[in-house]
Amino acid sequence: MMRNRGRPVAALVLSLALVWPILTPPAAQAAPPPPPLAATPPMGFNNWNAFGCDVNETLIKETADVLVSSGLKDAGYQYVNIDDCWSLRERGPDGRLVPDPAKFPSGIEGVADYVHSKGLKLGIYGDAGTKTCAGYPGSLGHEELDAQTWADWGVDYLKYDNCNNQSDGSQEDYVRRYTAMRQALDRTGRTIVYSICEWGTSQPWTWAKGIGHLWRTTGDISDNWASLRSIIRQNAPLAPYAGPGHWNDPDMLEIGNGGMTATEYRTHMSMWAMMAAPLIIGTDLRTASAETMAILGNRELIAIDQDRLGVQGAVVSDENGLMVLDKPLAGGDRAIALYNSTDTLATVGVATGETGLRRAGAYRLTDVWTGATTQVRSTISAGVPAHGTVVYRVRPLRDPATVAPAVAVGAGLGTVVPGPTSDTTPPTTGPASADGATPATAASEPAGDDTPATAGPEPAGGGALTTTVTNRGVGAIRDLSVAAEVPAGWTAAPATPARRARLATDATLETTWQIGVPADTPAGRYPIDVTASYRWGPRQRAATTSSQIIAVVVTAPEDGRRHLSTISPVTSANATGPVEADQSNGGPLENDGNLITIAGQVHTRGLGTTTGSELRYYLGGRCSRLVTDVGIDDEAAGGPATFTVYADDTAAAASGPVAAGEAPKTLTADLTGAAWLRLVAESAATGTHADWATPVLTCGGVPDDSPVLPESRTLFSFETGTEGFTIANPGDGGTVAQSPLFHTEGANGLKVSTPVAGNWFGRPLSTPLDLSGATMLRFDLKAGDVGTVGEIAVQVGEGFSWCQGGLWTWTNPHSSKTVTERFDQLSCPAGVTLDRSDVRAVWVFLNTGGEVLIDNVRAE
C-alpha cells in the first residue's frame, strides 16, 4: 500500500469530494433506450408460399425442428409463422377465434409452447376485414378480442392482411383499420411484431412507421422471374422509408419452390438482403435441397440484411435493366450489389466515387457468394449473368499488391440461327484458342443485329460473339489470353486479337468471334464459357476469370396456324414497360394490363404494346401470312398510331393512322419467303397503348381454315342464359344472371353478385366432360367497384371429388383479365386421381361483395 507522504488528510478528502461527481453518474441521468422491436428485419418461416391452406400442427412443429437442426436458427431465423386457414369458419360462442381442432389438436397455445421450447417464436395470421382472403373470420370490429386472444396464446408476430376490408379506398381508412389493431396489440402488454399486409395499396411507407414494424410494398410474390423482377423494381426506390423497427416488405421468399433457376433464387436472396427486407422462408424446409439451404443460410448475406445500422441499400444507378445498390454497414464497410435483370450476360459496374465509399487508392472486394477476394482501383464491375446479382463487401485497401486484381469478363451475342457453315471450313469443336486455332465459319449477316437479316429464307448459320476483358485492379495484368468454350459440334474463331501482352488498369481487350452452329441444332439455350487467363502482381501469379453467356438458338415456327402471342419474339423493345402477351400494356410493370379492348371489343389473345415498340420473330422462310387486328386500347387515351408489319425490310401491311376509340383495323401481311417478321407501332408521341389483337401466324402452307393453335374448347359461353350456373354453398349467398355488359365470346356473359366472403359458381354436369387433351382451364372476368379474387376447381369421378388449386388471382376494381389454372396445379383429396376424362363439375370462385362479370369458361 502506498503511504500518504505528507499530504494533509483534509486535502485528500476534499480532492475526492471534487472528483466524486465525475466518478458517479447523476441519479437523474436516463438509461439508454432499449432497441426497438424488430431492430433488424424479421427472419423466419411462413407456410403460405409452399402450402397455401394446407397448414397444420405437424408442419409447424417439424419446421421448427428443422430450423434448429439445420443451423438456420443460429443464422438468425427465429419466427415460425402460421398463415391463413388455421381457424374454424365461425367464431366460438364467446366470440373468440377457434383453432381448427383437426389441423391443430394442441391448439395454437400448444403449438406456441412447442415453438418456444425450441428457442423460436410463433407468428399468426389475421385480416383487417370481415373475412380473411380464404374466407375465414376476419378481425375488423374484433380487434381488442383477437389481439388479446393471440397474446394469451403466446403469439409473437402478427401478419395482418387486407381482404374483404369494407374500405372506401381512402388512405385515412387504411390508417384507421391498421391503427386499431396496433392499439389493441399494445393494450395486451405482450411484445408482438406487427406486419401490415395491405399490398402497398395505400403507400404504407408514407404513414405506417410507428404503427407497424413492417409493411408490404407490393402485391403478392409468385415463384417466377417476372414477378421477382417486378417486385424488385417497385421496392428498391423506397430506401428512405426503412430503418430499425420499420421495414419495407417486398413479400416472402420463394427460394426452393422450383419456379426459378438457382441464379434467380440467388438474386432473390441478394436483393432482399440489400434492400434490408424481412427474410421469411416460404418453402418446405423438411425436403429442401442442399442448394436451397445454402442460399437461405448464406451467413455473409444474412449479415448484410441484419446489419445493425438498419439502412436499406440505395439505388446508385438504374439503366437498361442494370441496377447498382449501395448499402452502408456497421464498421465502415459497404455492400455493393450489381444486379442484371436482362436476359443476357452483362457487365455491370459503378465508380467508387459514386458510392458512399470513402476515398482511397484501392478497395478490397469480397464476393459474398464465392468468398473470392479481389482489389480495384476506382471502378467496381463484373460480368453478371442474366437474371443474376453479384454482391461485394467493400472496404479501403492499403496494400493492393498482395491481392489479386478484379478482372471483369463480359460478352455479347446476337441471335443464333442454325444453318450451313462454309464448305471450305472443317467443323471443329471445343474452345477456340487465343491464336485462332479454331477456323472461322462462313461470314454472314449476324442474326440478332439491330438490322434484321435479309439474305433469304436460309441465312448462314451461327452468330457474332463479342467478348470484353477489363482490368479493374491496381497494376497491369500480363500475358492475357481469352478462350471461348462452345457446345460440341459448334465452332468459334476470333476475328480480332484475343491476346494482349499487357493490360493496364481500366483498359479493355475486346474480341470479336464468329460462332458456327450446325444446321440441325434444335432451338434452345446453350452455354458458352468465356475465360480470361493472365498473370498479376510482382510475383506474376497465374489467374483466370470466367463468365458464361447463354446462346439462344431460334428456329422457324412449326407448321400450323398459331396465335402469335404463344410464340416468343427474338427481340422485344417497348417504350413503357414490357410487351404483354394476351393483355394490354397496362404500365411499367409485368402483368399489369387488362384484357385487350379496342372500341369496346374484347380480345383474349394478342400483344399489348406502346407506340415506340418493335417485335422481331424468326421465320426462316417457312411462313406465309399474318392476320391481325390493330388499334388503340380503351384503357388509355392517346394516338393516333400507325401499325406496320414488315417481312424482312419490306412493309407487308400498314394501318395508316388509327385514332383512339376507332374500331380495330384488320391487317393481312404476305410473309412468303421472309426470314424475319417485324411488328412496329409508332406515333408522334411514344407511349400510346397500341394493341395487336388476335394476331394469327400461318406457317408450313396449311389451309386457312385450319384450327388456330393452341386449340380452345368453350365449356360455358352464356349465350343461351346462365347455362345452369348455380352456387356451391347456398348459405353463403350470391346470384347469377345473363348479361351483355361483358363478353369475350358471342354477345353475352354472366353477371355474378358475390358475397363478401365469396362463393363457388358453376354446376354439376349431367354428362361427364372428357378433357383428356387439355392442360388448363381458363375464364375471363371483369371486376366491378371492389375488385375480386378468381379461382377454378373441378369435381371428378362418381364420388364428385373436389380438386382445387389454391391459387387466388386478384383483379383490381374495373379491371379485366383471364384467370388460368393448370390441371397439374389442382390438388385432390388423398387417394383421388384427377381423371381429366371424367370431369363431373366445373366451378369458379369469386368474392368481395360486388358484381363481377365473367365469360368463356374454357379448356385449352
Side-chain angles (χ1 to χ4, degrees), residues 742-760:
F742 174 77
H743 49 85
T744 56
E745 181 176 277
N748 290 289
L750 190 71
K751 181 173 69 174
V752 182
S753 175
T754 68
V756 170
N759 209 333
W760 290 94

Side-chain angles (χ1 to χ4, degrees), residues 611 632 636-642 658-660 682-685 687-689:
T611 51
I632 308 302
T642 300
V658 180
E682 300 172 293
S683 63
T688 298
H689 291 218

Side-chain angles (χ1 to χ4, degrees), residues 24 102 200 292 328 370 485 536 558 630 703 734 752:
T24 304
T292 292
T370 68
E485 179 79 25
W536 66 274
E558 296 179 357
V630 297
V752 182

Side-chain angles (χ1 to χ4, degrees), residues 327-633:
K327 178 174 166 49
L329 304 174
D333 289 1
R334 299 188 83 86
I336 304 293
L338 311 176
Y339 164 56
N340 174 16
S341 71
T342 74
D343 295 333
T344 189
L345 173 74
T347 300
V348 187
V350 62
T352 56
E354 296 177 4
T355 71
L357 287 162
R358 63 182 185 271
R359 180 174 296 183
Y363 299 88
R364 177 188 181 97
L365 279 57
T366 301
D367 187 318
V368 302
W369 285 109
T370 68
T373 300
T374 54
Q375 51 87 2
V376 300
R377 184 175 70 179
S378 59
T379 300
I380 299 169
S381 69
V384 183
H387 306 177
T389 304
V390 173
V391 182
Y392 292 118
R393 193 175 184 114
V394 187
R395 67 179 65 172
L397 178 64
R398 291 185 178 179
D399 184 11
T402 61
V403 180
V407 175
V409 175
L413 179 63
T415 305
V416 179
V417 178
T421 57
S422 171
D423 292 339
T424 60
T425 303
T428 305
T429 61
S433 64
D435 59 6
T438 299
T441 59
S444 65
E445 178 77 21
D449 282 359
D450 292 336
T451 302
T454 58
E458 292 294 337
L465 171 70
T466 301
T467 62
T468 58
V469 179
T470 304
N471 173 24
R472 293 302 186 186
V474 176
I477 58 175
R478 300 182 185 277
D479 299 332
L480 169 64
S481 64
V482 188
E485 179 79 25
V486 296
W490 294 29
T491 61
T496 61
R499 187 185 294 277
R500 183 77 64 84
R502 181 180 184 274
L503 193 67
T505 298
D506 292 333
T508 298
L509 171 63
E510 180 176 300
T511 306
T512 301
W513 307 72
Q514 293 295 326
I515 304 297
V517 181
D520 58 354
T521 303
R525 299 170 63 84
Y526 298 83
I528 296 178
D529 294 312
V530 180
T531 301
S533 302
Y534 49 90
R535 296 184 179 277
W536 66 274
R539 300 173 60 182
Q540 290 296 285
R541 299 177 182 178
T544 61
T545 302
S546 296
S547 290
Q548 186 178 87
I549 188 167
I550 303 299
V552 179
V553 174
V554 298
T555 56
E558 296 179 357
D559 293 353
R561 299 177 68 229
R562 283 179 172 78
H563 290 291
L564 190 62
S565 59
T566 65
I567 302 173
S568 297
V570 173
T571 61
S572 173
N574 203 47
T576 304
V579 173
E580 300 281 11
D582 298 334
Q583 61 180 298
S584 63
N585 173 258
L589 304 176
E590 283 92 351
N591 199 34
D592 61 357
N594 298 289
L595 291 174
I596 289 173
T597 308
I598 305 173
Q601 297 183 33
V602 182
H603 300 258
T604 60
R605 293 287 189 179
L607 300 164
T609 73
T610 60
T611 51
S613 62
E614 177 177 301
L615 293 86
R616 297 175 63 236
Y617 299 83
Y618 178 62
L619 305 182
R622 298 194 66 258
C623 301
S624 59
R625 191 167 78 151
L626 177 74
V627 179
T628 181
D629 286 348
V630 297
I632 308 302
D633 198 275

